[in-house]
Every structure is written in structure tokens, then in C-alpha cells.
Amino acid sequence: MADTNPLPDWPCHLAGRLVPLGQATVSVLDRGFLFGDGIYEVVPVYGRRPFRLAAHLARLQRSLDAIRIPNPHDVPAWRALIAELIAAQEPADQLVYLQVTRGVALRDHAMLPGLTPTVFAMSTPMRQPTAALRATGVACVTAVDVRWQHADIKCTSLLGNVLARQVSIDAGAVETVLFRDGWLTEASSSNVWTVLDGTVVGPPAGPHLLDGIRVGLVEELCAEEAIPFARRPVSEDEVRLAGEVLLTSATKEVLAVTTLDGRPVGGGTPGPVGAVLYDAYQRAKATDRS
Ligand code: PDD
């Protein structure tokens, strides 16, 4: 039967070798495949330069530590591997994906000692929201956050996020904003911010949301732009009444939410605080030396 979904032959790294993506295969006994027993990173690349790479590699280390996988590479080796992938890809703006699983072993829930972690890494062309979407802002829907209590670990066990994302796909929306016990956590693959009386407010760090690389960046950009910034619990009512709601992620950068469950956010158009942060983000891209 003809393959209806052919994979591009971009080079990727698998277990120390550079191979065409379509030919990169792992053992069925890889614990990433059996248990989702691994971690990952997604690093945006602009003009062939990875953005905020030091922060991404630090989070990769935190994720590995959290699930007790030894880091297979030191920072210079990760940087070299990433540079090789970027050089081999055509467009200047890319998205680097890094994944480390615990390795291959006969199926056993126990963290078997002595395994060789499987490293997979690829760089794909960057796909960002269109200019039209940025101009109008995006529709989001909400759902109860039913994920486990370790959303702070950037692990490959993402079924809860996949189910959450599908809620918005089914509704023709761009993201699913999640509430746990009536409190904002994040979205299926983005952090979420509200603008309340001119202050950018997001939920505090903790087990229920990812410590997005853009979380620290939003705080920095707010300081630069003299925009009041706070991290504290944000109730569902506050999100629904916020003047602006913003998404941040490696691909969305800073993206305005203009409808939530079909109702307008603020005036129903992208607001001024989001616009200032988006512009500041573009400047940060131009000057990043991480
Ligand atoms: N997602 N929260 C979740 C659940 C995420 O999956 C992501 C990123 C973020 C934003 O984190 P950062 O600013 O580091 O991109 C928040 C990536 C892009 C992904 O899984 O594809």
C-alpha cells in the first residue's frame, strides 16, 4: 500500500548517529514507547540561532533529574548536536526538538539501573501563527485540567495534554485553557496570562503547570516595559473577566486570545499589553546571546 503520510528525509540524531528522519527507528522495548518514560524540549531557532538555549538546556537537566535519567550529554555536546541539526536544515527559522528516554529494556515498571538513555533530536522548519491570526487574536475554549500532578516535568507522557488539545480542535479553536478546582493552570501546550487592571498576572510556579521558558521571559519583558507583573493564583472568573488573555509558548511567542468559549475577551480584539509584549519579544529575539 502506498504511504499516504511520507516523512521528510531531514537529518535527525538518533542514538549518536545522524540519519534521515524517515529511517529513524527505535526498539519496541524503548521505555519511551512502552511507558512514555522520557523527557523533551522544544527550542525555537531564529536566523539559525537557538533562542534562550541556556534556559532550555537547564530545564532539560531539571526534567532529567526529576525522573532520574542521567544526562547523556554535557552542555557543549548538546550545543554541538543542535548546531549540526540547524546547519543541515533549509529555513533559517526552525524548531529544535530534543528527547531523552530511559532506554531499552524488557518491560518492567522499575527504573532498571544501567540503561543507556535513547537520545532523539531533530530540527524542523518553524511553523508560527499566521499574520492574520495575530491580527485577529485566537479563539480558545476551556476544560477541566484532569492531568496528573506533575505538569511541571516536561515529560513525553502527554496523553492528558493531547486530550486537552483535542477539545479545542473539535471546537475549531486554537488552544484549550485549563482550570483545576476553579483555578487557572495553563493550556494544553502553552502558558496562559491575564491582564487584570493593567497588571500581567499568571499562576505561580508549582506542580500543576510547566515552567515555560517564556514565563521567565514575560517577567523580564514586563520589567523592561514597566508593565506591572504578578504571579498568584488566578480564578476562573478572573480569566473570564480579564481585559486581555495571552498565550505564550516556543511557537506562539506571545499570542492574544480574543474569544474564550465563544465570548469576547475584553473588547474582542488583541489588547495593548499583549502588543507591547509581542514587540518586546521580537527585540529579545534580535539580541539573544544565550
Ligand atoms: N509546549 N505549557 C505546556 C503544557 C507546554 O507544552 C508548553 C510548551 C508551554 C510553554 O513553554 P515554553 O515557553 O517553554 O515553550 C507551557 C511546547 C512548545 C510543545 O510541547 O510543543
Side-chain angles (χ1 to χ4, degrees), residues 208-238:
H208 297 145
L209 66 152
L210 186 74
D211 186 16
I213 299 307
R214 269 125 291 275
V215 169
L217 184 54
V218 164
E219 183 168 9
E220 279 175 40
L221 298 179
C222 282
E224 276 173 25
E225 302 294 326
I227 299 169
F229 173 90
R231 293 190 71 185
R232 57 145 176 92
V234 181
S235 72
E236 181 167 347
D237 284 350
E238 285 180 304

Side-chain angles (χ1 to χ4, degrees), residues 73-236:
H73 297 306
D74 59 16
V75 167
W78 278 116
R79 285 181 177 271
L81 182 157
I82 290 165
E84 192 178 18
L85 288 173
I86 293 172
Q89 184 56 270
E90 196 69 32
D93 291 354
Q94 306 173 20
L95 206 59
V96 167
Y97 178 85
L98 309 173
Q99 176 174 316
V100 183
T101 75
R102 199 175 304 279
V104 177
L106 275 181
R107 187 174 182 280
D108 183 338
H109 284 65
M111 291 182 180
L112 303 169
L115 302 184
T116 302
T118 305
V119 177
F120 167 59
M122 63 179 170
S123 191
T124 58
M126 166 83 85
R127 282 173 48 216
Q128 283 190 306
T130 61
L133 262 192
R134 288 210 177 277
T136 57
V138 298
C140 288
V141 294
T142 64
V144 172
D145 192 345
V146 295
R147 299 172 306 158
W148 72 326
Q149 311 240 15
H150 258 313
D152 55 328
I153 304 174
K154 199 163 176 66
C155 62
T156 58
S157 324
L158 283 173
L159 188 54
N161 302 64
V162 168
L163 292 173
R165 177 66 183 101
Q166 195 60 32
V167 173
S168 46
I169 291 172
D170 291 346
V174 164
E175 252 291 21
T176 309
V177 174
L178 300 172
F179 298 107
R180 184 183 283 267
D181 302 325
W183 299 97
L184 173 66
T185 55
E186 56 180 346
S188 74
S189 62
S190 329
N191 289 108
V192 181
W193 303 91
T194 55
V195 181
L196 301 167
D197 295 327
T199 300
V200 171
V201 186
H208 297 145
L209 66 152
L210 186 74
D211 186 16
I213 299 307
R214 269 125 291 275
V215 169
L217 184 54
V218 164
E219 183 168 9
E220 279 175 40
L221 298 179
C222 282
E224 276 173 25
E225 302 294 326
I227 299 169
F229 173 90
R231 293 190 71 185
R232 57 145 176 92
V234 181
S235 72
E236 181 167 347

